[in-house]
Amino acid sequence: MAASSKPGSPPSSSSSMAQDLFNNFSFSKTLKLKTKQQELLIRVTVLTLIYILAFITRLFSVLRYESMIHEFDPYFNYRTTLYLTKNGFAEFWNWFDSESWYPLGRIIGGTLYPGLMLTAAALYSVLRFLRFAVHIREVCVLTAPFFASNTTLVAYFFGKEIWDSGAGIVAAALIAICPGYISRSVAGSYDNEGVAIFALLLTFYLFVKAVNTGSLAWALASAFGYFYMVSAWGGYVFIINLVPLYVLVLLVTGRYSLRLYVAYNCMYVVGMLLAMQIRFVGFQHVQSGEHMAAMGVFFLLQVFFFLDWVRHLLSDTKLFQAFLRITVTGAVSVGAIALGVGTASGYISPWTGRFYSLLDPTYAKDHIPIIASVSEHQPTAWSSFMFDFHILLFLFPAGLYFCFKRLSDATIFIVMYGLTSMYFAGVMVRLILVATPAVCLISAIAVSATVKNLTRLVRSQSQAVQSGSSKGASTAKSSSKGVIDNSQPFQRNGAIALLLGAFYLLTRYAIHCTWVTSEAYSSPSIVLAARGANGNRVIFDDYREAYFWLRQNTPPDAKVMSWWDYGYQITAMGNRTVIVDNNTWNNTHIATVGRAMSSYEDEAYEIMRSLDVDYVLVVFGGVTGYSSDDINKFLWMVRIGGGVFPVIKEPDYLANGEYRVDKGATPKMLNCLMYKLSYYRFGELTTEYGKPPGFDRARGVEIGNKDIKLEYLEEAFTTQNWIVRIYKVKPPKNRW
Amino acid sequence: MRPKSDNPQPLTTGDSSTSSLSSGTTTSIDPIYHILNILPFSFLRPPRLRLKLPSLSLPSPNLVFAFVLLTYFMVVSGIVYDVIVEPPGIGSMQDPYTGSVRPVVFMSGRVNGQYIIEGLSSGFMFLLGGIGIILLDLALDRNRPRSVKSSYAAAGISSVVLAYVMSMLFVRIKIPAYLR
């Protein structure tokens, strides 16, 4: 972790003051460090403290609850990592899983991004080699904070590359506690993004270093960084589109150079070849429309190099102008024709729905309900920005101003990264994560430049005082400072006051970040907490209770039908086969489950018999007031089911356009399978003092159909707080 | 392009031309120029026109920066949320005692929801804070007269303070449990 010090020359006044300070302490006569060593010591100490801070601020949930995996997706990652450590890489790479998506199964080896699992398994084997007897779960839980600490180091080097080492340190400090990043990298959130943001920032840093130095070694390193990013997350498409866009902007602004040529060529070619090693990505780099920008810019760069060489050979400039026009027009037209032929013939596939909805945000709402239903995919409101960035929202435009003042290849890159990522963050809440490193870096530039200005003001006053007192002669230096001498104390005090103000703002940022981390982003989602009547904290551990009941009380080959949100958790903790899970790769299968949930019990029984379902699991929040239950998600089941099976019509479930579960609900709603399974025996329960029995606390109404009889299913298990309810599908009646 | 019947004219670099591939030299290496020379224009006489191709030049950094600030304001105000979710400009609540309809500026209840005006005003505050810091930097620039510098500094400091106080106020109104 040694930070190499730049051979810069610190201002003489600070060194003299520091030397004076050191000489005043009698014991430091033996400990007299030169200024450069002092600076190095301070920097290394600060970076170490930032490293530790980034790790420990993410540990709230581990300290409050226990070391467990959060949310839904991380359970799948945990299960695959477990399989990898038990059975080795070859088995993992060729794994066909028949325990999910019954009866289709899933080719896991070819449909996941292996970077995260391989990283955790590598850390696990290193720790095991050093004879630390850790469980793989602990390694998985703490992978994300560890990589967040590494990200702060990369941010320091990146800041140093773009601006100077002061900006690097501020960037590291900002990104260590920024809530936009913490939200997806808290301890227990074992998800791709925890590792991917580290890989993203590393790739960008290595590429900018390669463009600045023109060295082949750095370009090769950036290609390997890109390979790591491709293996870690599907968001690598952002890199493969931002880097060509950046090269294009450099070409347009006349900053073509051999360094750029070397850096981009090496990164693109070697990176593309490496990326094809991941089975999930396959040949997309040459076949998919999302990757064509990189290829187009690659060929354009060859044209530029060729023209540069021709200009070097030709001595006649007018001839060269003509040649230039012909070549550029010819190249552009050949490229356009090739693109047109490729797209028309179908070889180049069009942009997939997920990424197309980023360019046209209204597309998902109309055409792809599955993408539109995920709450993380909603567009961003101002308060989400404020929550995740706080004062960085003020510092971002100021930092852009400083970058525009000192335009160079590196600052153009960070400006483009910041602007494109902020646009995407505005389109989808989840992508605030991708914008966070850029916002932190640009804000760090603003902070560093402003603080430098202010301290220069403070120091120049004291320097003028010193030079005025020691020399006192009318040199050109003191005459130019004459103007400042008149307003000397005012400016100096003003600068000190502004410095204190900046320090206050940064303190408020730190307080905000810690509060947000503690209150909003440290909940494990699988364990719910609420405040009881007398202020004490009440914990609902119903999910794990239900999954363990499944694990211990059902036959090993039982198949469980639930909505796709819970699939990963059921396979990982309950160890039973599920019908659909969070991978959502087969829309028709999910629509079949949605249709079963929204039909009457007898039709649903037919569908469940055709899928071999043994148990049905529903999540119900009426007793506790938990609002993310299946009744609140029910309209999405109807929409997705209705998207494939037109027999399910959404207006059948809405009374006057309004979604109700009380007496005013439609008869189809009151008798569908989801309603019956959620409210079975609920009509006898009194949930709140002073309210009639059957009062649904999550919707705030008394339910309409209290007398529910189940014909084809029977209740198998209901958890302590009625959050998870499991029903057994009865076998068909014997004939006669 | 110059018609063949004209007198030879002095060479100009930015000459007017209807064909984008013509060159200024008399012996051109452009193949399409030669083809056009032969095919229609050996018997057609083009008229003398005073057309000028518009010259494209890169915009200045200040213009680009102003455009960037404008897009930043729009994104941070949540304009994509406004376009897709289509919330009302301002919310309304019915007073339970008097029965009159009162406006509600801040959508309460969740973090990721807003009304249009609420978003725009918060975005404006963020932009104001940013501009305040920029003004502070302009105030510390040496090559300006003192009065301009001090007015920039005053404007900058007041902008930052105002923006920060208002943003904190907005957040506290929207999320009552903030920092408690």
Side-chain angles (χ1 to χ4, degrees), chain A residues 10-11 14-16 18-19 33-41:
Chain A
S14 82
S15 76
S16 59
Q19 296 285 4
L33 295 171
K34 291 206 273 287
T35 315
K36 274 192 217 163
Q37 291 171 326
Q38 289 168 17
E39 200 216 348
L40 181 62
L41 179 67

Side-chain angles (χ1 to χ4, degrees), chain A residues 252-254 318-319 322-323 325-326 329 361-362 365 375 378-387 390-398 400-402 404-405 407 419 422-423 426-427 429 446 450 453-454 456-457 483 487 490-491 498 504-505 508 511-512 515-516 519, chain B residues 13 20-23 25 29-31 58 61 64-65 68-69 72 75-78 80-81 83-86 106 110-114 118-119 122 125-127 129-130 133-134 136-138 140 142 146 149 157 160 163-164 167-168 170-172 174-175 177-180:
Chain A
V252 164
T253 54
K318 293 202 179 57
L319 203 58
F323 181 70
R325 283 198 208 129
I326 301 169
T329 318
T362 58
K365 188 166 82 150
S375 69
Q378 304 308 311
T380 322
W382 73 272
S383 40
S384 295
F385 277 121
M386 186 64 179
F387 232 52
H390 202 244
I391 56 166
L392 300 188
L393 286 174
F394 302 142
L395 296 170
F396 184 71
L400 286 179
Y401 161 77
F402 284 111
F404 270 86
K405 244 172 78 161
L407 276 181
L419 292 176
M422 274 302 269
Y423 166 70
V427 173
V429 179
T450 309
N453 279 344
L454 291 173
R456 176 173 51 88
L457 212 56
V483 175
S487 60
F490 174 71
Q491 277 210 326
L498 285 180
Y504 170 75
L505 279 183
R508 296 302 302 179
I511 294 175
H512 167 92
W515 180 84
V516 168
E519 293 299 315
Chain B
T13 47
S20 63
L21 294 174
S22 68
S23 69
T25 60
I29 63 169
D30 190 348
L58 285 180
V64 174
F65 183 60
V68 160
L69 281 188
Y72 175 71
V75 165
V76 146
S77 309
V80 183
Y81 182 91
V83 166
I84 296 197
V85 177
E86 289 171 16
F106 289 95
R110 48 201 184 118
V111 174
N112 198 38
Q114 65 175 39
E118 161 196 358
S122 312
M125 284 304 150
F126 299 147
L127 192 66
I133 302 182
I134 296 177
L136 271 182
D137 176 71
L138 286 176
L140 295 173
R142 291 168 199 256
R146 248 201 83 220
K149 275 168 62 167
I157 296 174
V160 171
Y164 177 69
S167 302
M168 284 297 111
F170 287 169
V171 172
R172 262 180 248 275
K174 187 164 175 91
I175 304 170
Y178 182 64
L179 276 186
R180 215 153 303 174

Side-chain angles (χ1 to χ4, degrees), chain A residues 216 320 408 431 442 460:
Chain A
L216 198 60
F320 175 69
S408 70
L431 293 180
I442 295 183
S460 73

Side-chain angles (χ1 to χ4, degrees), chain A residues 505-545:
Chain A
L505 279 183
L506 290 171
T507 326
R508 296 302 302 179
Y509 171 70
I511 294 175
H512 167 92
C513 293
T514 317
W515 180 84
V516 168
T517 310
S518 159
E519 293 299 315
Y521 290 142
S522 295
S523 85
S525 293
I526 194 168
V527 170
L528 309 165
R531 296 236 168 262
N534 34 349
N536 58 335
R537 190 183 279 253
V538 180
I539 306 269
F540 300 123
D541 208 358
D542 287 45
Y543 281 103
R544 293 196 293 172
E545 183 188 345

